[in-house]
Amino acid sequence: MRTLTEIAADAYGVPMRLRHVLAVFGVAAITVPLAGCNSITIPGPVATGVPSVGESPRATTDSSAGPGSTASTASPPSPASPASDSPTDAETRDCSDGGSQTVSGTAQTFRVIGTCTELVVSGSRLTVDASAAMIGTLRVSGDGIRADIAGADEVVVQGDDGTVKSAASIGRLEISGDRTVTEAASGIPAVVVRGDDNVVRSGGRVGSAVVEGSGNTIR
């Protein structure tokens, strides 16, 4: 029987003198091409979009943004601060028609209206706006009290560091205390001062004056 080597030699026209050589190496020569024909290709690893452990994900950019710009997320606006409370209005006291009124307290503000036969103010660090009231007699007792009036027949002040301002005349002024300032746009016919460092200013004539103490100014 003919061998595979002889059959292959005849097929490819191999001379007889080479057949003995092929007989030795024929099996290897034939095996290699056969093995090549039956080789199997093993696919390599397939890349996926999942990053490896320890790898930071890549930043993405907004395709709608212009060249060279990156998308950014706007921070939500901070809540508006609540508005502060507005100061309360001054407390209003009404003398009605010819009545009397008393205001008292500490570090408060009052507004007095109407026609007052007598207005009494007592306490400390009070502010009284009676510029819209008609006053017969104003009596002030305490320290650091400020009173603005339209005018009065009589003003009596007992205390220190007070201020009385009148938009018109004061018929009679009496001060007992220190460092009180009184101003009248018109005249003050009669002045009595007992204390030190008081100031009385008048835009008109000052009538009779009785002064007891030092450092007082009347003009």
Side-chain angles (χ1 to χ4, degrees):
M1 178 182 291
R2 300 178 66 187
T3 64
L4 292 174
T5 303
E6 292 173 345
I7 295 172
D10 290 339
Y12 289 94
V14 178
M16 291 297 298
R17 64 177 178 273
L18 296 178
R19 293 183 181 183
H20 296 288
V21 177
L22 293 175
V24 177
F25 298 99
V27 175
I30 296 172
T31 302
V32 172
L34 288 176
C37 294
N38 294 313
S39 62
I40 300 174
T41 303
I42 300 174
V46 179
T48 64
V50 180
S52 302
V53 177
E55 179 181 358
S56 301
R58 296 180 180 179
T60 58
T61 58
D62 188 356
S63 59
S64 62
S69 63
T70 59
S72 60
T73 303
S75 301
S78 302
S81 302
S84 58
D85 296 335
S86 57
T88 57
D89 294 334
E91 184 177 347
T92 301
R93 300 293 178 85
D94 190 353
C95 290
S96 298
D97 188 9
S100 62
Q101 189 62 254
T102 299
V103 296
S104 62
T106 301
Q108 292 177 266
T109 301
F110 295 92
R111 181 171 178 264
V112 180
I113 60 175
T115 302
C116 305
T117 302
E118 183 177 60
L119 174 61
V120 178
V121 180
S122 63
S124 62
R125 304 193 309 280
L126 296 177
T127 299
V128 178
D129 181 6
S131 59
M134 300 295 294
I135 298 175
T137 300
L138 171 64
R139 299 187 185 275
V140 178
S141 177
D143 298 333
I145 297 176
R146 176 189 176 92
D148 293 331
I149 61 177
D153 296 332
E154 182 179 34
V155 174
V156 179
V157 179
Q158 295 178 334
D160 301 330
D161 303 306
T163 301
V164 177
K165 289 186 177 182
S166 175
S169 64
I170 297 175
R172 180 179 182 272
L173 173 62
E174 181 178 341
I175 298 174
S176 298
D178 302 330
R179 298 175 302 279
T180 292
V181 177
T182 304
E183 296 181 2
S186 301
I188 305 176
V191 176
V192 177
V193 176
R194 299 182 180 93
D196 301 329
D197 302 318
N198 297 289
V199 177
V200 177
R201 300 191 185 100
S202 174
R205 182 182 65 86
V206 175
S208 63
V210 177
V211 180
E212 297 177 4
S214 61
N216 297 295
T217 301
I218 299 175
R219 58 186 180 186

